[in-house]
Amino acid sequence: MVEEGAPLWEPSPEIVRNAKVTRYAEWLGRAGDRAGDRAGDYESLWQWSVDAPEEFWTSIWDYFEVVGERGDGPVMSGEMPGTEWFAGSTLNYAANALRRAAADPGRLAVVSRDEAGGRRTLTLGELAEEVARVRAGLAALGVGRGDRVAAYVPNVPEALIAFLATASLGAIWSSCSPDFGAPSVIDRFTQIEPKVLVAVDGYGYNGRRFDRSEVVRDIAAKLPTLVARVRIPARDAPGAADAPEPGDAAVTGDGVRTVSWAEVRAVAEPLAFEPVPFGHPLWIVYSSGTTGLPKPIVHGHGGVVLEHLKALSFHQDLGEDDVFFWYTTTGWMMWNYLVGGLLVGSTVVLHDGAATYPETGALWRLAAEEGVTYFGTGAPYVIASMKAGLEPSGLDRLRGLGSTGSPLPPEGFAWVHDALPEVQLGSFSGGTDVCTGFVGAVPLLPVRAGVIPCRCLGARVESFDPSGAPVVGEVGELVLTLPMPSMPVMFWNDPDGSRYRDSYFSEYPGVWRHGDWIKILPDGGCVIYGRSDSTLNRGGVRMGTSEFYRVVERFEEIADSLVIDTGQLGQEGRLLLYVTMAEAATLDDDLVARLRRELREGLSPRHVPNEIIEVPGIPRTLSGKKLEVPVRKILLGVAPDKAANLDAMANPEVLSHFAPGADVTRH
């Protein structure tokens, strides 16, 4: 095993000197700010950012010269969850994303790749022209300020163009990936009552084509507020999405007009941007929706612009010379984060398809071919690459690698360092709730195995013990004791704010409880231990599930795993380990004995499972997160279809194997 905290990477003096956060700190000094002499001293800079939030967030607006009118209202007023930011200001996200188009229209803005090797590109000028065309088309359909545009689309240029066009009008964007089933999409979109649905006929994944035309008809039929559906044909060949088809302009019996993508972009008009208040809704994203209706989380134009400028520039160290890639779908907040690369002038790389098709190294090959400088993915892809023994090559331009979605174990850190020794690994943790990371990396700090280097600027992250007191060097609840501009401006259809307050502020009034276990080290480094509502509590010893998976998934024979503690308040339950075997591997008595021994020695005797159970797959959300809480509910007697939203799952067929009495092999 790799020791947690083992040093792996150290920034060179040149990296520190050229880091964008260093330039920012130097700029603060020239501006006479008291934080300005702290270049290279990240912890002091972070402390200032949370001690003087008004000064800090004002400096972000000024440093990046945000396009908009700042107004003369206070920078922040009110307490969480009712904080108001930059009262009286106006801006538009799309205006900031496309601000460089007029001066540098030939700069490469977007590269789009699919798993079959298809490639499309857009310069800034071309992107701006397409946004202007689709903006005019949406306006002609009646879309205006405050209207919702829902999208059922893969990660392709049309999605980005439609989003920017929507934002430019002051309308509100919301997207789902086409691998979502109709009930899951309907659960989301019926809550927000969209005026227009942008939808694709089909998509490709893992070497197969999936027809979604019937699903789209089902979705549209359940959205009574629709006035139009914009149809993007399945793209099997270059140019296919631009071709109108017979009947595209038809009006259905319920008055919904169907138009092609070609028709919606047919009219060339000058690009314009609707100025909106700082907190005006930009997009609606959703909680995972594993139980009940997904929470429709609304973020504002201003909060996202400031947060993504800060995070992408200072923590990912991205700028105009960078090529930025993150493996994601339009149904995960990392898509929203990826397109934010336009805010800092980076070229963004969109990928449509499976990460491991036609083989596990597909994304590494894409990064080499496109000259990616910052490569982002979920922790499972790093682990899959490690287990496959990959040795990525041709990545001469790569400077940074981001990992998120779930905790990356120390072994994953070590593999990245061994495979790409010059690359800084940035493990980040945050969430859909704020569309960014609370804790992450920065070019000024070293990388240690299993340790996230810092709390992000402007994020006052603390660890609370059971009594609500902050602790250092101990595992506790991840909380924020200071508001951030990218916190939700509201939940949709939550007029009194009760659902929003219950989600984050019911445990500690005035303090955001995120639902993760975190340990903050004395030097500011952080370790995330997984969700606090799926904790293992054995004989009073509490442990996050990530520590358990770190031991189990080191075994080459184990492809995936899930651990569940069935204990309830005041009653210790059983500890169950579910495993999915790697190809050609068998869960025999020898492997079971070795698993039990490693868990006993690596964790504690209390954490040796009562049973080890082989299942054909581990249930995951569409964004790849393990469904620990729903499985625990099933084991406690809840029916599988009540414990989890099957349409929000990547593999709902496996859930029945976790029901009591299921026909599975137990050891």
Side-chain angles (χ1 to χ4, degrees):
M1 293 179 68
V2 177
E3 182 181 357
E4 183 178 281
L8 298 175
W9 180 90
E10 187 86 24
S12 67
E14 181 182 13
I15 289 174
V16 172
R17 183 170 60 252
N18 293 330
K20 291 171 180 61
V21 69
T22 298
R23 296 175 190 171
Y24 165 68
E26 292 169 346
W27 174 86
L28 287 172
R30 290 194 297 272
D33 195 283
R34 61 190 178 89
D37 60 351
R38 295 168 179 167
D41 183 359
Y42 179 80
E43 188 65 16
S44 294
L45 187 62
W46 174 82
Q47 192 66 56
W48 169 77
S49 76
V50 296
D51 286 346
E54 296 95 337
E55 295 175 48
F56 171 69
W57 290 109
T58 297
S59 77
I60 298 300
W61 185 303
D62 293 342
Y63 182 72
F64 289 103
E65 299 178 345
V66 169
V67 178
E69 298 294 330
R70 203 167 78 195
D72 54 6
V75 174
M76 59 183 291
S77 57
E79 303 294 326
M80 287 193 287
T83 305
E84 181 181 5
W85 292 91
F86 289 92
S89 67
T90 58
L91 75 168
N92 188 289
Y93 176 101
N96 283 275
L98 296 171
R99 64 190 298 180
R100 297 167 178 83
D104 196 2
R107 177 186 286 272
L108 185 61
V110 179
V111 175
S112 174
R113 294 283 299 264
D114 63 35
E115 63 180 28
R119 185 177 191 267
R120 290 189 283 164
T121 62
L122 288 168
T123 65
L124 273 174
E126 291 167 339
L127 177 60
E129 179 184 355
E130 288 300 309
V131 171
R133 286 176 172 272
V134 175
R135 181 186 199 273
L138 290 175
L141 294 173
V143 175
R145 181 166 168 163
D147 291 328
R148 275 77 66 206
V149 174
Y152 187 62
V153 288
N155 187 12
V156 292
E158 289 84 359
L160 173 57
I161 292 163
F163 158 59
L164 291 173
T166 299
S168 75
L169 289 164
I172 306 166
W173 173 262
S174 190
S175 61
C176 288
S177 174
D179 55 357
F180 282 40
S184 181
V185 179
I186 291 165
D187 282 348
R188 287 159 169 78
F189 288 167
T190 53
Q191 295 186 74
I192 68 171
E193 299 178 311
K195 179 173 279 189
V196 170
L197 174 67
V198 181
V200 71
D201 278 354
Y203 71 101
Y205 189 85
N206 212 28
R208 297 175 57 198
R209 295 298 305 176
F210 296 87
D211 180 11
R212 302 311 260 173
S213 54
E214 188 64 37
V215 174
V216 172
R217 283 192 286 271
D218 290 346
I219 294 167
K222 294 296 191 340
L223 300 175
T225 55
L226 282 187
V227 299
R229 174 167 78 89
V230 177
R231 175 181 172 276
I232 302 176
R235 178 173 288 276
D236 293 314
D242 295 330
E245 295 194 4
D248 266 343
V251 178
T252 60
D254 55 8
V256 177
R257 180 185 178 196
T258 300
V259 298
S260 69
W261 181 258
E263 184 176 353
V264 85
R265 63 170 297 278
V267 178
E269 289 190 2
L271 183 56
F273 306 99
E274 174 76 8
V276 294
F278 190 91
H280 182 79
L282 170 63
W283 57 47
I284 301 171
V285 292
Y286 304 89
S287 63
S288 60
T290 52
T291 58
L293 280 178
K295 299 189 293 286
I297 300 167
V298 184
H299 295 127
H301 279 247
V304 170
V305 167
L306 291 190
E307 174 58 38
H308 287 185
L309 284 170
K310 177 214 76 177
L312 290 164
S313 184
F314 299 157
H315 292 283
Q316 261 79 40
D317 201 37
L318 290 171
E320 294 184 353
D321 296 327
D322 286 295
V323 179
F324 179 39
F325 168 74
W326 208 292
Y327 178 70
T328 181
T329 71
T330 58
W332 188 22
M333 57 135 294
M334 291 311 300
W335 182 83
N336 307 67
Y337 193 77
L338 168 63
V339 302
L342 295 172
L343 294 169
V344 295
S346 299
T347 299
V348 296
V349 179
L350 313 177
H351 178 270
D352 175 25
T356 56
Y357 183 85
E359 33 76 27
T360 306
L363 295 186
W364 300 112
R365 187 178 67 253
L366 177 151
E369 292 170 354
E370 298 299 341
V372 168
T373 59
Y374 198 97
F375 177 104
T377 186
Y381 185 71
V382 175
I383 298 302
S385 297
M386 176 183 74
K387 289 195 170 189
L390 296 187
E391 298 180 2
S393 61
L395 300 169
D396 299 338
R397 296 197 65 208
L398 190 65
R399 295 186 294 105
L401 189 150
S403 171
T404 193
S406 58
L408 184 66
E411 289 73 20
F413 277 74
W415 177 82
V416 171
H417 176 70
D418 291 342
L420 302 162
E422 303 303 318
V423 172
Q424 181 190 13
L425 170 63
S427 181
F428 286 80
S429 185
T432 301
D433 321 79
V434 287
C435 210
T436 191
F438 297 132
V439 295
V442 71
L444 310 181
L445 297 177
V447 175
R448 295 171 290 168
V451 177
I452 296 175
C454 65
R455 291 170 281 188
C456 294
L457 293 175
R460 182 176 275 163
V461 174
E462 297 191 58
S463 175
F464 272 14
D465 69 11
S467 69
V471 293
V472 175
E474 300 177 23
V475 177
E477 287 273 4
L478 190 162
V479 300
L480 279 92
T481 56
L482 183 75
M484 294 173 62
S486 67
M487 285 178 172
V489 295
M490 62 178 174
F491 285 177
W492 199 260
N493 282 339
D494 182 28
D496 63 357
S498 57
R499 195 179 182 196
Y500 179 31
R501 290 192 300 274
D502 289 347
S503 295
Y504 309 110
F505 299 97
S506 59
E507 185 78 14
Y508 310 108
V511 172
W512 173 293
R513 175 187 175 270
H514 194 58
D516 281 344
W517 290 119
I518 186 173
K519 178 170 66 178
I520 299 175
L521 305 176
D523 63 2
C526 306
V527 182
I528 299 289
Y529 292 97
R531 297 295 295 173
S532 57
D533 51 8
S534 56
T535 305
L536 310 178
N537 188 353
R538 310 300 296 168
V541 178
R542 302 173 72 87
M543 181 176 293
T545 53
S546 66
E547 295 179 85
F548 206 95
Y549 300 138
R550 180 188 172 194
V551 175
V552 174
E553 293 176 14
R554 269 194 316 114
F555 284 79
E556 293 182 356
E557 299 94 330
I558 306 297
D560 205 356
S561 66
L562 188 80
V563 63
I564 303 293
D565 184 349
T566 64
Q568 301 180 70
L569 185 64
Q571 179 182 353
E572 185 154 297
R574 294 172 64 77
L575 189 65
L576 307 177
L577 171 62
Y578 295 90
V579 295
T580 299
M581 305 308 295
E583 188 175 355
T586 302
L587 185 65
D588 55 21
D589 290 342
D590 174 67
L591 178 57
V592 168
R594 287 189 287 125
L595 275 167
R596 293 183 183 279
R597 183 171 63 251
E598 287 295 317
L599 288 165
R600 178 182 298 273
E601 295 175 358
L603 299 180
S604 81
R606 295 184 178 91
H607 292 90
V608 175
N610 297 101
E611 290 185 273
I612 300 176
I613 305 158
E614 183 177 352
V615 290
I618 299 302
R620 290 182 179 267
T621 66
L622 289 166
S623 59
K625 295 183 179 180
K626 298 183 185 187
L627 291 178
E628 295 167 332
V629 175
V631 168
R632 184 174 184 275
K633 290 181 178 179
I634 291 170
L635 292 170
L636 294 175
V638 177
D641 61 341
K642 301 295 183 183
N645 182 345
L646 304 185
D647 292 291
M649 293 180 59
N651 51 350
E653 70 280 358
V654 306
L655 209 56
S656 62
H657 296 281
F658 296 82
D663 184 16
V664 291
T665 302
R666 299 172 180 270
H667 291 266

